[in-house]
Amino acid sequence: MRYPEGGGLTAERRAFREKVRLQAGERFVAGEKTAVIAKDLRVSVRSVERWRRAWREGGMAALRSAGPANSPTVTDAQFAVVEEELGKGPAAHGFDDERWTVARVQTVIRRRLRLSLSVTTVWRLLKRHGWSWQAPARRALERDEHAVAVEEGGVAAGKRLAAACGAWIVFEDEAGFSMTPPRARTWGRRGHTPVIRVRGRSRRRTSVAALYCYRPGEKSRLIYRPRSHLLLKGARRSFSWKDYRDLLVRAHIQLAGPIVVVWDNLTTHLAAGLKQYEAEHDWLVTFRLPPYAPDLNPVEAVWSLVRRAMANTAFDTPDDLDRSLRRQLRGIQLRPHLIDGCLTATGLALAPPTPP
């Protein structure tokens, strides 16, 4: 006899139940009635009937324990096949959205390996092979994965040039911050949603351009410049190419060395005046990241740190917003390990070249 999933029994309990079945078998031989056996052994009548059928077909040997039931196992080679199927995405398997759940993985295993596993077993299988429940990252449909795969596009060329001339490699990005703060989870009484009161009519925004600066053997640096938007008709609401030029000049002075700038394909970065200024100064070289690849820019992680720290903060005036921005960016400047962590988040390796 075998119980499903081992019956949840220990070896001692399996031995005890086997003893009860064998006692019932001896009474089958004696010709006793099912109801009498069930009453004396304190088991159900249906159990005795099931044992009697097994005894008729296989004798006393059929009443002995067959040991704990083993659930189907998935070998490493089989799970590699499952991982390949999961890598195709949920849509390739007929699901409506790009979301893997344990139940969907269970379905894939059943279709591909012809194995029926419980939800708990699938969860443990995924955990054992390094899978976890995560929030997915978003990627633009226009993103050129080939350009990203070829050593991260312009980053590779920038690294080689920076290593050759001992220059700083500098990543640049800009972001806008408004009087309406980002939201984050907070404790509140059940049934009563916490409320953050903000300025509903304020259109004041502050833009920040930041430079992540790295050179082997030096502490990583963060240099930034804020810009408050004036609510005047015809006033510029973003950085001009001259603002970027002045920021790069400031970085050159502070870093006291040549810089290799890696930034995105913003139209202002491609301005003729900025290109002419680069051609006239040998301490400045620029490279562009592949289109739609913000995950390769460590400054994006800097913005994430700032927004996380400013979450749920109700700003009273534009000056409060500016002071909070400067305070958070200054805190990151004083913690080089945070700046290095932003680089680690991109997966880029900027290790110094090994000597020949």
Side-chain angles (χ1 to χ4, degrees), residues 16-138:
F16 172 77
R17 291 197 173 191
E18 180 186 54
K19 181 180 178 181
V20 173
R21 292 193 299 272
L22 293 177
Q23 289 177 358
E26 294 174 356
R27 302 180 74 164
F28 295 156
V29 175
E32 296 188 24
K33 294 183 178 181
T34 299
V36 175
I37 298 174
K39 182 178 180 180
D40 292 346
L41 298 181
R42 303 179 68 179
V43 296
S44 66
V45 173
R46 296 189 64 177
S47 294
V48 177
E49 290 174 348
R50 186 172 66 252
W51 297 344
R52 189 184 290 275
R53 286 195 300 269
W55 172 75
R56 286 173 181 170
E57 295 174 0
M60 297 294 288
L63 300 178
R64 295 189 177 277
S65 176
N70 294 321
S71 59
T73 58
V74 178
T75 64
D76 291 342
Q78 288 176 317
F79 189 79
V81 175
V82 174
E83 277 193 310
E84 183 179 355
E85 295 296 326
L86 297 182
K88 298 177 182 178
H93 293 273
F95 300 111
D96 296 334
D97 53 54
E98 294 293 329
R99 183 168 56 100
W100 280 121
T101 64
V102 175
R104 291 181 176 183
V105 177
Q106 181 188 37
T107 301
V108 172
I109 293 176
R110 183 172 62 252
R111 292 174 181 173
R112 192 68 177 83
L113 302 182
R114 299 290 190 268
L115 291 178
S116 180
L117 303 180
S118 66
V119 171
T120 303
T121 302
V122 174
W123 182 85
R124 290 174 179 170
L125 180 68
L126 292 173
K127 294 286 285 186
R128 187 166 62 248
H129 287 83
W131 286 64
S132 62
W133 183 255
Q134 305 177 30
R138 289 183 293 185

Side-chain angles (χ1 to χ4, degrees), residues 9-10 18 25-26 53 91 112 117 208 242 246 250 276 278 340 350 353:
L9 303 175
T10 62
E18 180 186 54
E26 294 174 356
R53 286 195 300 269
R112 192 68 177 83
L117 303 180
V208 182
K242 294 181 180 180
D246 295 342
R250 175 182 172 186
Q276 180 180 355
E278 176 186 353
D340 292 336
L350 298 182

Side-chain angles (χ1 to χ4, degrees), residues 172-174 207-209 211 225-229 234-249 263 266-275 277:
E172 190 278 337
D173 193 45
E174 56 284 324
S207 294
V208 182
L211 304 177
R225 167 168 288 187
R227 176 188 174 90
S228 298
H229 300 310
R236 186 180 181 90
R237 296 178 177 269
S238 61
F239 286 93
S240 66
W241 73 266
K242 294 181 180 180
D243 294 324
Y244 288 116
R245 178 200 61 189
D246 295 342
L247 178 60
L248 296 179
V249 171
W263 51 19
L266 186 68
T267 305
T268 313
H269 296 163
L270 308 178
L274 198 55
K275 290 184 177 180
Y277 185 83

Side-chain angles (χ1 to χ4, degrees), residues 179-207:
M179 296 281 289
T180 303
R183 291 184 298 175
R185 293 180 179 271
T186 181
W187 285 101
R189 188 176 180 182
R190 184 173 299 175
H192 298 270
T193 303
V195 176
I196 302 172
R197 300 192 178 277
V198 299
R199 293 283 182 182
R201 294 185 177 180
S202 176
R203 294 179 296 165
R204 175 70 179 272
R205 289 176 59 85
T206 298
S207 294

Side-chain angles (χ1 to χ4, degrees), residues 292-327:
Y292 300 98
D295 52 301
L296 298 181
N297 196 333
V299 186
E300 292 285 349
V302 173
W303 304 141
S304 178
L305 291 175
V306 172
R307 288 192 170 95
R308 189 182 308 167
M310 294 171 55
N312 297 353
T313 302
F315 302 109
D316 227 7
T317 64
D319 291 338
D320 290 340
L321 173 62
D322 293 343
R323 280 194 297 268
S324 181
L325 274 173
R326 291 177 183 274
R327 182 169 60 251

